Amino acid sequence: MNVDGVMKETEDHPPLKRTKIENGKNHDTNDVDIFENASWDNIISPDVLTRTDQIFKSYQTSKPYPHGVISKIYVDGFLDHVLEEVKHNSKVKFKESDLFRVYQSIDLGNLNPLDTVLSAKMPNLMKLRETLYCPEFRSFMEKITGLDPGTLTDKVDCAVNCHAPGCHLLCHDDVIETRKVSYILYLTDRDPLWKDEDGGRLELYESICEENIHSKEHGTLKKGEKESIERRRVPNPIPVKTVLPAFNSMAFFVVEPGFSFHSVQEVFCDRPRLSIQGWYHANKTPLHINDATLNRLKSTESGEDTEGAFHPMDKVDGANDKISQVDIEFLSKYINKTYLEIKSLDAIRERFEDDSCIQLRHFLNEEWAEKVKAAISSEDKNCQFGMGLPSLDYSAGINNSWKIVGPAHKQRFLEFKGEASNDDKSAGSLLSHLKLKLFESASYGRLLDKICSLGMPHGYRGRVRRFRPGLDYTVAHYGILTKQSVLDATICFAAGTGDQCRYNEQTEELIGDDADAKWESGDVGGFECYISADDDDEDEKIEQQAADEYNDDDDTELLSVSVSFNTLSLVYRDPGTMRFVKYVGCSAPSSRWDVSLEYEVEQDEDEVEAIEQDEDEVDANKQDKDEDEVDANK
C-alpha cells in the first residue's frame, strides 16, 4: 500500500489504539564553545547557534510545562534530501491500538552506522542520525533544557513515523525507563504550508493534582491499609497549547512523570505528517516513575477506577425475579415487541449462552428510535461534526448539561448531567430518560435475566455518553478491571440505519448504507473493543516495551463491537477483561451516542475466593513498589 506517495511499500495493511530548572540554575551558554570542531558543518543552520540563549529562555518560561520549538534548525536543502531518501528507501508498517494509529518506518536506533549499503542509499539520513546523537549536539540539548552537563547518554532511540490521514497518538507522558528528553523533527511537506485545519498538531496538556482518599468514612480503605491521602498529577481533558508540524522545525521537552502530557492530533487533511520522533536518555530512571502514564494504566490501586460505584437494583415493582406480563406491557412502551415475544427470547438466550455476547438490532420501538435519531442528527449538524470536517473546537458540544470527562490519558468524552425528559427534544434528555426509566428498572432487570440466565442483577452503574468525531475516546486500563463478572449492556446511536452490511468477497467491500458500512469497517473508529489484560510481571513488561513507543502487541483482543444505530450489545465480561471505545475519527459519519451500563450479577464461589486472593496480592505488590521507589530515590 502506498501512503500518499510518502513511502515506497508497506507491511501489514490496516484492518476493516515539566521539568524544573534545578535550584533555579541557569546555564551560561557562553562558557564553552560546544560547536568548535562539531561534526555538523554545513548541516545545522548557523542561525541556531546564535539563538541558544534565546531558545533556553523561551523554554524556561513556556507553558503548560517547559518546552521549545527550534525553527529552521537545518540548512536549506538538507532535510529535503533526507525526505527523498526516506520516501524511496523505506517500508512502513501499520500499527494500531487503543492509544494510536500510525505507520512506522525506519527504526534509526537499530541501524548500523558502519553499514556501507545503507550509507550509500541514505547518506543524508545517516548523517542526520550521527548529528542528533553526537556529543556536541547532546551538550547543546542539555544547555537549552537546563540539564546538567553529561546528563544525556549516547543511546540512539528514534524512528521515522508517518501519520497518514486518520492517524493519531493519544495523551501520554513519554516516560519509559531512562528517557530524559523527547523531540520531534518535522519532515512534513512545506508546500502548501501546514495549517490548523490540516490537523497533526502536537497537543500539550496542563496537569492538575488529584487526591485519592483512603478512609473508612469514604469506603475506600482496603484490607490492611492505613488511612491516607494519595496525591498524583493527571492531565486535563483538553490541551492548552498546540504546535504545528512545520517543516525543518524541532519540538522538544524534558519528560517527567505526571507533567509532560502530550498527544498528536489526528491528521485531518489528505497528506501525511512525516517526522522523526526520538528521545535522549539519561543514566537512571526519573524520580516518581510509578506516576508515569504506562505505570498508571497498568495499576489497579485505589483511585485508578473511572467508573464509580454500583447502585442497588430496585426490585419493589415485581413480586419475584421472573418476568411477568406487567413487565412486558411496561417494556413494550420502549422496546421493539419482537424482542418481547417468548419465542424470540428463547432464541436470544440460546445464542447468548453459546457466545456470552449478542447484538440486538433495532432494539427500541419505532417511536423512540425516530425521536432519538432526529435529536442526535440535529445536534451533530449544529456542531458540524463528522464526514471529514476538521475538529478544531475542543469545547464543541460542551454546555450546562453535557460535561467533559477526563483525565485525558484515560478518556475524553461528554457525559450528560442534565435533566431527563420524555418531552424534551434534546438528545441528552431523551437518552437520560431511557437510562433512568427503562435501563435502571426492575422490569428491564428481569428481561436481562430472561435473556442471559445470569439471575436478577443486584446493581448497576452507567452513563449517557457522546463521543465527538476527531476528539473523543476511552483507553484500556487496569483501573476498570472488575473483581467479578459483570454484564455490559450498551445501546448505541449514530448515523446509519442500524442494518448489518453484507460483505462482497469478490470486491472485498461492505454492501449497505454508507454510514453503516463506514462504522462496520472500523476505519473511522468508535467501535468498542474487549481485550484481555496482560498477566506478565509489570516491570518486565515495561522493559520489553521500552524499545517501541508504538507497541500494539500488549493485549489480546477478544471481541470488537461496531457502532450501529439503535443496537443493544450485551457482553458477559469476565474479571481480567478490559474494554475501550476506539478514538472516533473526523471521517466518522456522526458522533457516537450511547447509554452504557454495567450490571452486577451473581458471583460463584470461585470468584469470591479469587477476589480475596487478589486483595492480598494488591496489598503485597503495593508494599513492594513503595520499597522499590524508596530504594531508587536513595
Side-chain angles (χ1 to χ4, degrees):
M1 177 181 175
N2 193 315
V3 185
D4 291 343
V6 174
M7 304 296 184
K8 194 172 183 181
E9 320 176 36
T10 183
E11 300 171 352
D12 296 351
H13 186 280
L16 278 155
K17 136 218 121 66
R18 166 172 357 179
T19 187
K20 299 177 182 177
I21 305 304
E22 295 184 357
N23 302 319
K25 167 173 59 179
N26 187 337
H27 290 274
D28 182 358
T29 54
N30 296 316
D31 58 354
V32 177
D33 185 3
I34 62 172
F35 303 103
E36 186 177 356
N37 299 321
S39 62
W40 54 62
D41 290 344
N42 301 319
I43 297 179
I44 295 289
S45 173
D47 179 58
V48 172
L49 314 187
T50 63
R51 288 187 285 143
T52 305
D53 289 320
Q54 177 187 345
I55 294 169
F56 174 64
K57 290 175 182 178
S58 176
Y59 175 88
Q60 280 185 301
T61 58
S62 57
K63 302 294 182 181
Y65 51 82
H67 65 277
V69 178
I70 306 174
S71 59
K72 298 180 180 179
I73 184 170
Y74 290 95
V75 296
D76 288 344
F78 176 67
L79 288 187
D80 295 281
H81 293 307
V82 171
L83 180 58
E84 288 303 310
E85 290 174 2
V86 170
K87 285 182 177 181
H88 293 93
N89 296 286
S90 61
K91 297 178 180 179
V92 291
K93 181 179 181 181
F94 178 79
K95 293 191 172 187
E96 182 170 29
S97 76
D98 54 335
L99 287 168
F100 55 79
R101 180 183 177 99
V102 69
Y103 290 87
Q104 193 168 51
S105 182
I106 308 170
D107 182 356
L108 298 177
N110 289 328
L111 293 184
N112 182 358
L114 301 179
D115 189 322
T116 56
V117 176
L118 282 175
S119 297
K121 287 185 176 181
M122 298 182 286
N124 292 287
L125 181 62
M126 298 298 285
K127 187 67 175 177
L128 175 61
R129 176 187 184 276
E130 176 189 353
T131 301
L132 284 170
Y133 288 91
C134 70
E136 295 88 352
F137 197 79
R138 283 186 279 123
S139 180
F140 170 68
M141 293 302 297
E142 290 166 349
K143 288 179 179 294
I144 63 176
T145 56
L147 296 174
D148 289 334
T151 297
L152 304 181
T153 70
D154 61 357
K155 179 177 179 178
V156 178
D157 185 6
C158 58
V160 179
N161 293 319
C162 175
H163 285 79
C167 290
H168 55 271
L169 172 60
L170 303 183
C171 182
H172 61 295
D173 62 13
D174 256 5
V175 178
I176 295 180
E177 285 194 321
T178 58
R179 288 179 180 175
K180 191 63 178 179
V181 176
S182 177
Y183 69 87
I184 310 171
L185 177 61
Y186 294 111
L187 301 176
T188 48
D189 287 334
R190 51 185 169 184
D191 186 19
L193 291 177
W194 204 275
K195 307 183 298 296
D196 286 345
E197 292 78 9
D198 296 327
R201 295 177 292 179
L202 175 65
E203 302 172 313
L204 307 180
Y205 296 78
E206 186 176 26
S207 59
I208 58 173
C209 187
E210 180 182 74
E211 290 188 350
N212 296 308
I213 302 174
H214 306 268
S215 68
K216 290 182 179 179
E217 180 182 353
H218 289 79
T220 55
L221 200 62
K222 292 184 177 181
K223 179 181 176 182
E225 193 175 49
K226 295 181 180 180
E227 292 195 353
S228 63
I229 298 178
E230 184 180 19
R231 296 177 176 88
R232 65 172 64 97
R233 302 196 69 84
V234 297
N236 278 325
I238 294 176
V240 297
K241 184 174 181 179
T242 62
V243 177
L244 280 170
F247 180 81
N248 195 13
S249 66
M250 176 189 279
F252 63 95
F253 50 87
V254 170
V255 299
E256 185 176 350
F259 283 97
S260 52
F261 292 110
H262 62 285
S263 57
V264 176
Q265 183 185 42
E266 179 187 357
V267 174
F268 300 139
C269 62
D270 60 358
R271 55 194 180 124
R273 172 193 185 271
L274 197 65
S275 66
I276 294 177
Q277 179 177 347
W279 300 269
Y280 293 98
H281 286 252
N283 283 314
K284 58 183 180 180
T285 59
L287 296 175
H288 312 298
I289 194 168
N290 284 340
D291 290 333
T293 301
L294 184 58
N295 286 335
R296 294 266 58 95
L297 294 179
K298 298 257 183 183
S299 173
T300 58
E301 295 176 8
S302 176
E304 297 297 341
D305 183 14
T306 55
E307 301 308 305
F310 283 93
H311 305 283
M313 179 71 77
D314 182 13
K315 301 182 182 181
V316 175
D317 58 354
N320 52 53
D321 290 347
K322 301 301 180 182
I323 194 165
S324 67
Q325 187 58 38
V326 174
D327 292 326
I328 298 295
E329 291 175 2
F330 167 75
L331 295 172
S332 65
K333 297 177 183 178
Y334 300 96
I335 298 174
N336 186 333
K337 291 184 178 181
T338 300
Y339 292 119
L340 301 176
E341 297 172 356
I342 298 299
K343 186 176 180 180
S344 298
L345 291 174
D346 290 341
I348 293 170
R349 184 178 64 253
E350 289 181 11
R351 176 72 176 272
F352 186 86
E353 289 176 349
D354 288 340
D355 299 339
S356 296
C357 62
I358 195 168
Q359 280 189 284
L360 305 179
R361 297 179 183 274
H362 308 292
F363 184 71
L364 296 183
N365 61 34
E366 189 173 338
E367 177 188 354
W368 269 99
E370 289 302 318
K371 284 199 295 187
V372 173
K373 190 177 191 67
I376 64 173
S377 298
S378 174
E379 294 187 30
D380 268 346
K381 183 178 180 180
N382 290 338
C383 290
Q384 296 187 321
F385 275 141
M387 303 307 293
L389 294 173
S391 304
L392 302 177
D393 184 3
Y394 297 96
S395 64
I398 301 175
N399 53 44
N400 291 334
S401 296
W402 286 98
K403 306 297 183 181
I404 195 163
V405 178
H409 71 300
K410 291 181 178 177
Q411 58 194 13
R412 183 169 64 207
F413 57 85
L414 303 189
E415 180 180 4
F416 186 75
K417 293 289 190 177
E419 295 293 328
S421 174
N422 182 18
D423 300 322
D424 193 334
K425 293 183 179 180
S426 70
S429 293
L430 290 173
L431 296 180
S432 185
H433 174 87
L434 289 171
K435 175 180 177 289
L436 179 66
K437 298 299 183 181
L438 173 61
F439 298 118
E440 295 177 3
S441 70
S443 294
Y444 184 73
R446 287 186 280 272
L447 177 65
L448 291 178
D449 178 29
K450 180 68 175 177
I451 291 175
C452 305
S453 301
L454 296 173
M456 177 72 177
H458 298 301
Y460 61 86
R461 63 183 181 184
R463 314 175 192 245
V464 173
R465 307 181 298 183
R466 180 186 187 183
F467 293 85
R468 303 161 298 168
L471 292 170
D472 296 337
Y473 55 86
T474 66
V475 170
H477 63 92
Y478 284 32
I480 61 175
L481 290 175
T482 57
K483 301 291 186 182
Q484 63 193 63
S485 297
V486 296
L487 176 64
D488 293 332
T490 302
I491 187 164
C492 194
F493 301 95
T497 65
D499 293 331
Q500 186 167 14
C501 296
R502 294 182 296 104
Y503 181 71
N504 188 318
E505 294 184 358
Q506 292 183 337
T507 62
E508 297 184 345
E509 294 179 345
L510 291 168
I511 308 300
D513 179 86
D514 286 347
D516 291 329
K518 275 194 172 186
W519 288 122
E520 200 166 324
S521 73
D523 288 340
V524 297
F527 54 85
E528 187 157 40
C529 189
Y530 287 77
I531 59 177
S532 176
D534 176 41
D535 292 328
D536 291 344
D537 180 78
E538 184 177 329
D539 294 332
E540 180 181 347
K541 189 66 176 179
I542 292 172
E543 185 176 349
Q544 292 171 355
Q545 292 174 336
D548 189 359
E549 178 73 359
Y550 295 101
N551 189 301
D552 56 357
D553 301 320
D554 301 350
D555 308 283
T556 302
E557 181 177 328
L558 304 174
L559 174 69
S560 184
V561 183
S562 300
V563 175
S564 181
F565 176 75
N566 190 19
T567 298
L568 175 71
S569 63
L570 300 174
V571 180
Y572 183 61
R573 176 156 51 101
D574 295 323
T577 300
M578 302 179 291
R579 62 174 177 163
F580 66 89
V581 174
K582 176 62 181 175
Y583 169 88
V584 181
C586 78
S587 295
S590 69
S591 297
R592 170 197 164 113
W593 310 72
D594 66 32
V595 181
S596 177
L597 289 102
E598 298 174 23
Y599 294 91
E600 280 186 307
V601 293
E602 195 70 40
Q603 303 175 52
D604 57 32
E605 293 182 1
D606 290 339
E607 284 188 338
V608 174
E609 183 178 348
I611 290 171
E612 294 175 349
Q613 291 178 349
D614 286 345
E615 289 178 348
D616 291 339
E617 289 177 6
V618 168
D619 292 338
N621 289 337
K622 186 178 187 301
Q623 183 177 354
D624 290 342
K625 285 181 183 178
D626 291 342
E627 292 174 354
D628 289 343
E629 184 166 352
V630 170
D631 291 339
N633 293 338
K634 285 183 179 180

